[in-house]
Amino acid sequence: MKKKIIVLFLSLNFLACGELQQVIDQLPQGSTSIGNAEIAEGLREALNMGIEKQVAKLTKTDGFFKNELVKIVLPEELQKVDKTLRDIGLGNLADEGLKVLNRAAEDAVSEATPIFVDAVKGITFDDAKNILMGNDDAATQYLTNATQTALYAKFNPVIKNSFEKVGADQIWSNLITKYNSIPLVKKVNPDLTDYVTNEALDGVYTMIAVEEKEIRTKVGSRTTDLLRKVFTLQD
């Protein structure tokens, strides 16, 4: 009798183990083997795709000017300049002034794309898994916080050169001179290079975030094995 009980117990235990193995077999395989370094590499790849696919659009003619997500508008200080010039019949000059700010950004981003690639390459994700499990733009936000100050220093002279290249410096010099010559107006002398540098940087980060969201939310946007492997974890 005792022997039968032991045999029955072993049989039940064997069946339970078999069922447990079936459950284990159905679990996602390999997910626990992804470490912080591999996740970080996947995040870098996603950011690089943002540069390749989305930031590249900014370098085209009207890449900034006709993209409402990133279009550079006049700073508050210059909005009164714009209105006053239009009021005295210089609307065409005001329109051209706005356009050349965006043209300078388009040209500068084209020249400075390697700067952004290097920034992504050099970024260190201290807690890649938490970033992966974060918001749709968590990696882009991390990149922004980690690189914006350094990128500004590199990007600002590129913007300055682009101002000269597209003629924005002359147009705005003429525009500001005309405005300052109007009786009773408060004279302005804005640092447009600084303003456009910051706006262009924001535009770059915005477009990188667009691609990051695509990769996070659309499986079809994960075009490499690494992206599929890493971003499956956050689905």
Side-chain angles (χ1 to χ4, degrees):
M1 180 67 179
K2 188 175 181 181
K3 186 181 290 187
K4 288 182 179 180
I5 292 172
I6 293 173
V7 171
L8 178 61
F9 174 78
L10 290 174
S11 298
L12 289 172
N13 193 49
F14 177 78
L15 288 172
C17 287
E19 291 174 356
L20 179 61
Q21 185 61 49
Q22 285 182 345
V23 172
I24 292 173
D25 290 342
Q26 291 173 7
L27 290 174
Q29 297 301 307
S31 61
T32 56
S33 67
I34 302 180
N36 198 68
E38 193 169 12
I39 293 173
E41 192 56 37
L43 294 175
R44 287 190 201 94
E45 188 167 318
L47 294 173
N48 271 320
M49 282 189 66
I51 294 172
E52 290 175 13
K53 291 181 63 176
Q54 301 294 341
V55 175
K57 296 176 183 177
L58 299 178
T59 67
K60 313 285 187 190
T61 299
D62 290 329
F64 273 87
F65 191 59
K66 291 189 177 178
N67 182 341
E68 291 304 318
L69 278 178
V70 297
K71 181 180 179 179
I72 299 174
V73 298
L74 294 178
E76 187 175 349
E77 180 185 8
L78 290 181
Q79 288 174 12
K80 59 184 178 183
V81 176
D82 182 85
K83 183 179 184 307
T84 302
L85 291 174
R86 293 181 190 281
D87 288 345
I88 63 173
L90 295 175
N92 287 339
L93 182 60
D95 289 339
E96 187 62 21
L98 181 59
K99 184 180 291 185
V100 292
L101 293 186
N102 286 272
R103 289 286 182 268
E106 290 156 11
D107 180 72
V109 170
S110 176
E111 295 293 325
T113 296
I115 295 175
F116 301 114
V117 173
D118 286 344
V120 171
K121 200 177 298 181
I123 194 172
T124 300
F125 291 100
D126 297 323
D127 195 349
K129 189 169 185 179
N130 277 340
I131 294 168
L132 177 67
M133 301 301 179
N135 296 331
D136 286 344
D137 65 345
T140 304
Q141 286 299 321
Y142 189 86
L143 173 70
T144 304
N145 293 333
T147 65
Q148 192 162 27
T149 299
L151 282 181
Y152 177 95
K154 292 181 179 180
F155 197 39
N156 186 264
V158 179
I159 286 284
K160 186 175 181 180
N161 289 336
S162 293
F163 258 59
E164 297 172 5
K165 185 175 176 181
V166 303
D169 53 346
Q170 289 298 317
I171 289 172
W172 272 97
S173 175
N174 182 31
L175 194 151
I176 294 298
T177 299
K178 284 187 181 297
Y179 175 80
N180 286 341
S181 68
I182 299 172
L184 303 179
V185 301
K186 183 179 178 181
K187 291 178 171 44
V188 296
N189 187 27
D191 184 350
L192 285 173
T193 304
D194 171 75
Y195 176 72
V196 174
T197 298
N198 282 311
E199 291 294 297
L201 278 173
D202 285 348
V204 168
Y205 291 127
T206 295
M207 296 310 293
I208 292 174
V210 167
E211 186 61 24
E212 180 185 351
K213 183 177 181 179
E214 284 279 308
I215 291 170
R216 285 181 180 273
T217 59
K218 297 179 181 177
V219 175
S221 295
R222 302 167 191 171
T223 55
T224 69
D225 289 339
L226 180 60
L227 289 176
R228 284 188 286 271
K229 182 177 182 181
V230 169
F231 281 92
T232 295
L233 293 178
Q234 56 101 72
D235 288 341

